[in-house]
Amino acid sequence: MPLPPPLTALHDLDAQLAGSGYAVLDAAALARLAALPGDALTAWGPLWDDLPPDAFLKDGGRYRRRRHGCFIVTPATAEVLPQPHRAHWQPVEYNALHGGIERWFSPLHAEMADDPAWRQLLCALAARSATLRGLAASAPCYVEAHPFRIDTTDGIGRPTPEGAHRDGVDLVVVVLVARQGIKGGETRVFDARGPQGLRFTLTEPWSALLLDDERVIHESTPIQPIDTATGGHRDTLVLTFRAGGFQGPA
């Protein structure tokens, strides 16, 4: 049986993140954090059926589909500014497999990026990132959004083919959107400065893992189909929050 995640009460979120470097919110808590009804998030679910293949997988796999979008968010004024479409870039220090190259992915669906609920979600999470780093809520936060589908087209799907890693940002949020017909996909979080760690499996749609990217490294184990005839997939929304600007080549 999968190990359940250690849930965090919403009123303890900032303290849990500051103390342990991670926190897990159930779907109801994530919706409350953004002051949204629960169905505001679930309405985006069908968009994961329209994600183009990731053409940059260096292991030759066909198991990952994704989109990408960038925003500048100011929590104090609830301002969310969509940015002109740009490449996703990470240094090799944080992504040894895919770092150092500009990866261009298709943009987010307008049904999500233009939704007022999307702006509320980004503002609420950007505020948590500012609190984590001791920044004023008036400071701009640079947000990248990545809807992913990992499927079992190759018999096995790898949510994190680069292995345990950091992303080079302040806050990482991994929202589970759906699990269908799969086993595996266990989340593992490790202290970046020592051997401490934990493992669990997100199973509730729209539950979320929040990570202090300076404190911890993370990975998800491969997925396999429960029934090879029908296959399966794991859908997530990964959001990263960073002060000072987007990552890009010097």
Side-chain angles (χ1 to χ4, degrees), residues 156-241:
I156 190 171
R158 297 176 175 85
T160 52
E162 63 273 37
H165 66 283
R166 292 167 55 206
D167 289 326
V169 299
D170 296 320
L171 178 70
V172 177
V173 181
V174 181
V175 181
L176 178 73
V177 175
R179 286 175 59 98
Q180 181 172 317
I182 61 167
K183 54 187 176 181
E186 179 181 80
T187 296
R188 296 178 178 177
V189 180
F190 307 97
D191 190 322
R193 300 164 297 184
Q196 298 84 1
L198 73 159
R199 51 199 274 281
F200 57 85
T201 302
L202 292 172
T203 58
E204 182 190 18
W206 302 100
S207 57
L209 168 65
L210 289 77
L211 299 164
D212 178 347
D213 194 54
E214 288 189 2
R215 292 269 308 278
V216 300
I217 58 177
H218 64 280
E219 66 176 342
S220 295
T221 62
I223 63 169
Q224 294 177 279
I226 294 173
D227 183 342
T228 56
T230 57
H233 62 260
R234 180 179 185 261
D235 294 346
T236 57
L237 171 64
V238 176
L239 301 167
T240 63
F241 300 80

Side-chain angles (χ1 to χ4, degrees), residues 6 45 53 67 75-76 104 109 141 151 156-157 192 212 216 225:
R67 291 179 180 268
W104 288 90
H109 290 95
C141 186
D151 64 32
I156 190 171
D212 178 347
V216 300

Side-chain angles (χ1 to χ4, degrees), residues 33-48:
L33 178 68
L36 292 169
D39 59 359
L41 300 177
T42 59
W44 300 330
L47 299 177
W48 269 255

